[in-house]
Short mmCIF file of all heavy atoms in Angstrom, two decimals:
data_model
loop_
_atom_site.label_atom_id
_atom_site.label_comp_id
_atom_site.label_asym_id
_atom_site.label_seq_id
_atom_site.Cartn_x
_atom_site.Cartn_y
_atom_site.Cartn_z
N ALA D 1 0.81 -1.21 0.00
CA ALA D 1 0.00 0.00 0.00
C ALA D 1 0.85 1.27 0.00
O ALA D 1 0.62 2.18 -0.80
CB ALA D 1 -0.94 -0.01 1.20
N GLU D 2 1.82 1.34 0.86
CA GLU D 2 2.63 2.56 0.98
C GLU D 2 3.36 2.87 -0.32
O GLU D 2 3.41 4.02 -0.76
CB GLU D 2 3.63 2.39 2.13
CG GLU D 2 4.38 3.66 2.46
CD GLU D 2 5.30 3.48 3.66
OE1 GLU D 2 4.98 2.66 4.54
OE2 GLU D 2 6.33 4.17 3.69
N LYS D 3 3.89 1.84 -0.95
CA LYS D 3 4.63 2.01 -2.20
C LYS D 3 3.69 2.52 -3.31
O LYS D 3 4.03 3.44 -4.05
CB LYS D 3 5.27 0.69 -2.60
CG LYS D 3 6.17 0.77 -3.80
CD LYS D 3 6.82 -0.58 -4.06
CE LYS D 3 7.66 -0.55 -5.32
NZ LYS D 3 8.23 -1.86 -5.63
N LEU D 4 2.51 1.93 -3.39
CA LEU D 4 1.55 2.35 -4.42
C LEU D 4 1.07 3.77 -4.17
O LEU D 4 0.95 4.57 -5.10
CB LEU D 4 0.35 1.40 -4.47
CG LEU D 4 -0.75 1.80 -5.45
CD1 LEU D 4 -0.23 1.87 -6.88
CD2 LEU D 4 -1.91 0.84 -5.38
N LEU D 5 0.80 4.11 -2.93
CA LEU D 5 0.34 5.47 -2.61
C LEU D 5 1.37 6.52 -3.00
O LEU D 5 1.00 7.61 -3.45
CB LEU D 5 -0.01 5.58 -1.12
CG LEU D 5 -1.24 4.80 -0.67
CD1 LEU D 5 -1.38 4.85 0.85
CD2 LEU D 5 -2.50 5.29 -1.35
N LYS D 6 2.64 6.19 -2.88
CA LYS D 6 3.70 7.13 -3.29
C LYS D 6 3.76 7.26 -4.81
O LYS D 6 4.08 8.31 -5.33
CB LYS D 6 5.05 6.67 -2.75
CG LYS D 6 5.20 6.91 -1.27
CD LYS D 6 6.55 6.46 -0.78
CE LYS D 6 6.68 6.68 0.72
NZ LYS D 6 7.96 6.18 1.24
N ARG D 7 3.46 6.17 -5.52
CA ARG D 7 3.52 6.18 -6.99
C ARG D 7 2.29 6.77 -7.66
O ARG D 7 2.35 7.21 -8.80
CB ARG D 7 3.68 4.74 -7.52
CG ARG D 7 5.04 4.18 -7.40
CD ARG D 7 5.26 2.83 -8.10
NE ARG D 7 4.10 2.03 -8.45
CZ ARG D 7 3.63 1.88 -9.70
NH1 ARG D 7 4.20 2.47 -10.70
NH2 ARG D 7 2.58 1.11 -9.92
N LEU D 8 1.15 6.79 -6.97
CA LEU D 8 -0.10 7.23 -7.58
C LEU D 8 -0.03 8.58 -8.31
O LEU D 8 -0.53 8.69 -9.43
CB LEU D 8 -1.23 7.26 -6.55
CG LEU D 8 -2.05 6.00 -6.40
CD1 LEU D 8 -3.12 6.18 -5.33
CD2 LEU D 8 -2.66 5.53 -7.69
N PRO D 9 0.57 9.60 -7.74
CA PRO D 9 0.61 10.90 -8.44
C PRO D 9 1.36 10.86 -9.76
O PRO D 9 1.17 11.72 -10.62
CB PRO D 9 1.33 11.83 -7.45
CG PRO D 9 1.18 11.17 -6.12
CD PRO D 9 1.13 9.70 -6.39
N LEU D 10 2.21 9.85 -9.96
CA LEU D 10 3.02 9.75 -11.16
C LEU D 10 2.38 8.92 -12.27
O LEU D 10 2.86 8.92 -13.40
CB LEU D 10 4.39 9.14 -10.81
CG LEU D 10 5.15 9.82 -9.67
CD1 LEU D 10 6.39 9.03 -9.31
CD2 LEU D 10 5.49 11.25 -10.04
N LEU D 11 1.31 8.20 -11.95
CA LEU D 11 0.69 7.30 -12.91
C LEU D 11 -0.13 8.03 -13.96
O LEU D 11 -0.81 9.01 -13.67
CB LEU D 11 -0.19 6.28 -12.20
CG LEU D 11 0.50 5.34 -11.21
CD1 LEU D 11 -0.51 4.37 -10.60
CD2 LEU D 11 1.63 4.57 -11.87
N GLU D 12 -0.06 7.54 -15.19
CA GLU D 12 -0.87 8.06 -16.28
C GLU D 12 -2.26 7.42 -16.21
O GLU D 12 -2.47 6.42 -15.50
CB GLU D 12 -0.21 7.72 -17.63
CG GLU D 12 1.16 8.34 -17.81
CD GLU D 12 1.10 9.85 -17.92
OE1 GLU D 12 0.09 10.39 -18.41
OE2 GLU D 12 2.08 10.51 -17.50
N ILE D 13 -3.19 7.96 -16.99
CA ILE D 13 -4.59 7.52 -16.93
C ILE D 13 -4.73 6.02 -17.22
O ILE D 13 -5.52 5.34 -16.57
CB ILE D 13 -5.49 8.37 -17.87
CG1 ILE D 13 -6.97 8.11 -17.59
CG2 ILE D 13 -5.16 8.12 -19.32
CD1 ILE D 13 -7.50 8.78 -16.38
N VAL D 14 -3.96 5.48 -18.16
CA VAL D 14 -4.05 4.04 -18.49
C VAL D 14 -3.62 3.20 -17.29
O VAL D 14 -4.26 2.21 -16.95
CB VAL D 14 -3.20 3.71 -19.74
CG1 VAL D 14 -3.15 2.22 -19.98
CG2 VAL D 14 -3.75 4.42 -20.97
N GLN D 15 -2.55 3.62 -16.64
CA GLN D 15 -2.06 2.90 -15.46
C GLN D 15 -3.06 3.02 -14.30
O GLN D 15 -3.26 2.07 -13.54
CB GLN D 15 -0.71 3.45 -15.03
CG GLN D 15 0.38 3.22 -16.07
CD GLN D 15 1.60 4.07 -15.81
OE1 GLN D 15 1.48 5.26 -15.54
NE2 GLN D 15 2.78 3.44 -15.87
N LEU D 16 -3.69 4.19 -14.19
CA LEU D 16 -4.71 4.37 -13.15
C LEU D 16 -5.89 3.44 -13.39
O LEU D 16 -6.43 2.86 -12.44
CB LEU D 16 -5.17 5.82 -13.11
CG LEU D 16 -4.16 6.82 -12.58
CD1 LEU D 16 -4.63 8.24 -12.82
CD2 LEU D 16 -3.90 6.58 -11.11
N ARG D 17 -6.29 3.30 -14.64
CA ARG D 17 -7.39 2.38 -14.96
C ARG D 17 -7.02 0.94 -14.61
O ARG D 17 -7.86 0.16 -14.15
CB ARG D 17 -7.79 2.49 -16.42
CG ARG D 17 -8.47 3.79 -16.74
CD ARG D 17 -8.78 3.90 -18.24
NE ARG D 17 -9.31 5.21 -18.54
CZ ARG D 17 -10.57 5.57 -18.33
NH1 ARG D 17 -11.42 4.70 -17.83
NH2 ARG D 17 -10.98 6.78 -18.62
N GLU D 18 -5.77 0.56 -14.83
CA GLU D 18 -5.30 -0.78 -14.46
C GLU D 18 -5.38 -0.98 -12.94
O GLU D 18 -5.82 -2.03 -12.46
CB GLU D 18 -3.87 -0.99 -14.93
CG GLU D 18 -3.73 -1.12 -16.44
CD GLU D 18 -2.28 -1.12 -16.90
OE1 GLU D 18 -1.35 -1.02 -16.04
OE2 GLU D 18 -2.06 -1.20 -18.12
N GLN D 19 -4.94 0.04 -12.20
CA GLN D 19 -5.00 -0.03 -10.74
C GLN D 19 -6.45 -0.12 -10.26
O GLN D 19 -6.76 -0.83 -9.31
CB GLN D 19 -4.30 1.16 -10.10
CG GLN D 19 -2.80 1.12 -10.23
CD GLN D 19 -2.20 -0.09 -9.55
OE1 GLN D 19 -2.61 -0.50 -8.45
NE2 GLN D 19 -1.22 -0.71 -10.19
N TRP D 20 -7.33 0.64 -10.92
CA TRP D 20 -8.76 0.57 -10.59
C TRP D 20 -9.24 -0.87 -10.73
O TRP D 20 -9.90 -1.41 -9.85
CB TRP D 20 -9.57 1.49 -11.49
CG TRP D 20 -11.04 1.39 -11.24
CD1 TRP D 20 -11.91 0.44 -11.73
CD2 TRP D 20 -11.83 2.22 -10.39
NE1 TRP D 20 -13.17 0.64 -11.25
CE2 TRP D 20 -13.16 1.73 -10.43
CE3 TRP D 20 -11.56 3.33 -9.61
CZ2 TRP D 20 -14.20 2.32 -9.72
CZ3 TRP D 20 -12.59 3.92 -8.91
CH2 TRP D 20 -13.89 3.42 -8.97
N PHE D 21 -8.93 -1.48 -11.86
CA PHE D 21 -9.36 -2.85 -12.13
C PHE D 21 -8.83 -3.81 -11.06
O PHE D 21 -9.56 -4.68 -10.57
CB PHE D 21 -8.92 -3.30 -13.52
CG PHE D 21 -9.44 -4.64 -13.91
CD1 PHE D 21 -10.74 -4.78 -14.39
CD2 PHE D 21 -8.67 -5.78 -13.76
CE1 PHE D 21 -11.24 -6.02 -14.73
CE2 PHE D 21 -9.16 -7.02 -14.10
CZ PHE D 21 -10.45 -7.15 -14.58
N LEU D 22 -7.57 -3.65 -10.70
CA LEU D 22 -6.96 -4.53 -9.69
C LEU D 22 -7.61 -4.37 -8.31
O LEU D 22 -7.79 -5.35 -7.59
CB LEU D 22 -5.46 -4.23 -9.56
CG LEU D 22 -4.59 -4.67 -10.73
CD1 LEU D 22 -3.17 -4.15 -10.54
CD2 LEU D 22 -4.58 -6.19 -10.86
N HIS D 23 -7.96 -3.15 -7.95
CA HIS D 23 -8.46 -2.91 -6.60
C HIS D 23 -9.98 -2.98 -6.48
O HIS D 23 -10.50 -3.28 -5.41
CB HIS D 23 -7.95 -1.55 -6.09
CG HIS D 23 -6.50 -1.58 -5.79
ND1 HIS D 23 -5.54 -1.30 -6.73
CD2 HIS D 23 -5.83 -1.91 -4.67
CE1 HIS D 23 -4.35 -1.45 -6.20
NE2 HIS D 23 -4.49 -1.80 -4.93
N TYR D 24 -10.69 -2.68 -7.56
CA TYR D 24 -12.16 -2.70 -7.51
C TYR D 24 -12.74 -3.89 -8.27
O TYR D 24 -13.94 -4.08 -8.28
CB TYR D 24 -12.74 -1.39 -8.05
CG TYR D 24 -12.61 -0.24 -7.10
CD1 TYR D 24 -11.56 0.66 -7.20
CD2 TYR D 24 -13.54 -0.04 -6.10
CE1 TYR D 24 -11.44 1.72 -6.33
CE2 TYR D 24 -13.44 1.03 -5.22
CZ TYR D 24 -12.39 1.90 -5.35
OH TYR D 24 -12.28 2.96 -4.48
N HIS D 25 -11.89 -4.66 -8.94
CA HIS D 25 -12.31 -5.86 -9.67
C HIS D 25 -13.39 -5.58 -10.71
O HIS D 25 -14.34 -6.32 -10.83
CB HIS D 25 -12.77 -6.95 -8.70
CG HIS D 25 -11.78 -7.25 -7.64
ND1 HIS D 25 -10.57 -7.85 -7.89
CD2 HIS D 25 -11.79 -6.97 -6.31
CE1 HIS D 25 -9.88 -7.95 -6.77
NE2 HIS D 25 -10.60 -7.43 -5.79
N GLY D 26 -13.23 -4.51 -11.44
CA GLY D 26 -14.19 -4.18 -12.48
C GLY D 26 -13.70 -3.04 -13.35
O GLY D 26 -12.75 -2.34 -13.02
N GLU D 27 -14.35 -2.89 -14.48
CA GLU D 27 -14.02 -1.83 -15.42
C GLU D 27 -14.56 -0.50 -14.91
O GLU D 27 -15.46 -0.47 -14.08
CB GLU D 27 -14.63 -2.13 -16.80
CG GLU D 27 -14.08 -3.37 -17.46
CD GLU D 27 -12.63 -3.23 -17.88
OE1 GLU D 27 -12.20 -2.11 -18.23
OE2 GLU D 27 -11.92 -4.24 -17.84
N ILE D 28 -14.04 0.57 -15.45
CA ILE D 28 -14.51 1.91 -15.10
C ILE D 28 -14.84 2.65 -16.39
O ILE D 28 -14.20 2.44 -17.40
CB ILE D 28 -13.45 2.67 -14.29
CG1 ILE D 28 -13.99 4.01 -13.87
CG2 ILE D 28 -12.19 2.85 -15.06
CD1 ILE D 28 -13.29 4.58 -12.69
N GLY D 29 -15.83 3.50 -16.33
CA GLY D 29 -16.22 4.27 -17.50
C GLY D 29 -15.18 5.32 -17.85
O GLY D 29 -14.21 5.53 -17.14
N ASN D 30 -15.39 5.99 -18.96
CA ASN D 30 -14.45 7.00 -19.44
C ASN D 30 -14.64 8.37 -18.81
O ASN D 30 -13.90 9.29 -19.11
CB ASN D 30 -14.56 7.12 -20.96
CG ASN D 30 -14.10 5.87 -21.66
OD1 ASN D 30 -13.19 5.21 -21.19
ND2 ASN D 30 -14.74 5.53 -22.76
N LYS D 31 -15.64 8.54 -17.98
CA LYS D 31 -15.98 9.86 -17.45
C LYS D 31 -15.15 10.28 -16.25
O LYS D 31 -15.09 11.44 -15.92
CB LYS D 31 -17.46 9.90 -17.05
CG LYS D 31 -18.41 9.58 -18.18
CD LYS D 31 -18.66 10.79 -19.02
CE LYS D 31 -19.69 10.44 -20.07
NZ LYS D 31 -19.89 11.48 -21.00
N MET D 32 -14.51 9.34 -15.55
CA MET D 32 -13.82 9.68 -14.32
C MET D 32 -12.45 10.31 -14.62
O MET D 32 -11.66 9.75 -15.38
CB MET D 32 -13.65 8.45 -13.43
CG MET D 32 -13.25 8.81 -12.01
SD MET D 32 -13.18 7.40 -10.89
CE MET D 32 -14.90 7.18 -10.53
N SER D 33 -12.17 11.46 -14.03
CA SER D 33 -10.91 12.16 -14.25
C SER D 33 -9.76 11.43 -13.55
O SER D 33 -9.97 10.65 -12.62
CB SER D 33 -11.01 13.58 -13.72
OG SER D 33 -11.07 13.58 -12.30
N ALA D 34 -8.55 11.75 -13.97
CA ALA D 34 -7.36 11.15 -13.36
C ALA D 34 -7.29 11.53 -11.87
O ALA D 34 -6.93 10.70 -11.03
CB ALA D 34 -6.10 11.60 -14.09
N LYS D 35 -7.67 12.76 -11.55
CA LYS D 35 -7.63 13.22 -10.16
C LYS D 35 -8.57 12.38 -9.28
O LYS D 35 -8.19 11.93 -8.20
CB LYS D 35 -8.03 14.69 -10.08
CG LYS D 35 -8.00 15.25 -8.68
CD LYS D 35 -8.39 16.71 -8.64
CE LYS D 35 -8.41 17.24 -7.23
NZ LYS D 35 -8.83 18.64 -7.16
N LEU D 36 -9.80 12.18 -9.76
CA LEU D 36 -10.76 11.40 -8.99
C LEU D 36 -10.35 9.93 -8.93
O LEU D 36 -10.51 9.28 -7.90
CB LEU D 36 -12.17 11.54 -9.57
CG LEU D 36 -13.29 10.95 -8.72
CD1 LEU D 36 -13.27 11.51 -7.30
CD2 LEU D 36 -14.64 11.23 -9.36
N LEU D 37 -9.78 9.41 -10.02
CA LEU D 37 -9.28 8.03 -10.01
C LEU D 37 -8.19 7.87 -8.93
O LEU D 37 -8.22 6.90 -8.18
CB LEU D 37 -8.69 7.67 -11.37
CG LEU D 37 -9.64 7.09 -12.40
CD1 LEU D 37 -8.96 7.00 -13.75
CD2 LEU D 37 -10.14 5.73 -11.97
N ARG D 38 -7.28 8.83 -8.88
CA ARG D 38 -6.22 8.75 -7.87
C ARG D 38 -6.80 8.74 -6.46
O ARG D 38 -6.38 7.96 -5.61
CB ARG D 38 -5.25 9.92 -8.02
CG ARG D 38 -4.29 9.77 -9.17
CD ARG D 38 -3.27 10.90 -9.23
NE ARG D 38 -2.45 10.73 -10.40
CZ ARG D 38 -2.69 11.33 -11.57
NH1 ARG D 38 -3.69 12.17 -11.71
NH2 ARG D 38 -1.89 11.10 -12.60
N LEU D 39 -7.77 9.62 -6.22
CA LEU D 39 -8.39 9.68 -4.90
C LEU D 39 -9.11 8.37 -4.56
O LEU D 39 -8.98 7.85 -3.45
CB LEU D 39 -9.38 10.84 -4.83
CG LEU D 39 -8.77 12.24 -4.80
CD1 LEU D 39 -9.86 13.30 -4.98
CD2 LEU D 39 -8.02 12.47 -3.50
N ALA D 40 -9.86 7.85 -5.51
CA ALA D 40 -10.63 6.62 -5.27
C ALA D 40 -9.71 5.42 -5.05
O ALA D 40 -9.96 4.59 -4.17
CB ALA D 40 -11.59 6.36 -6.43
#
């Protein structure tokens, strides 16, 4: 967790979507901004 939290601000939108899938076990729509993805 700590390592990922440090890397989050550096991730691009595609990488954020991958992290979303890994942590929420599902796809995400195209409407969510990178900022909100990072927070979630």
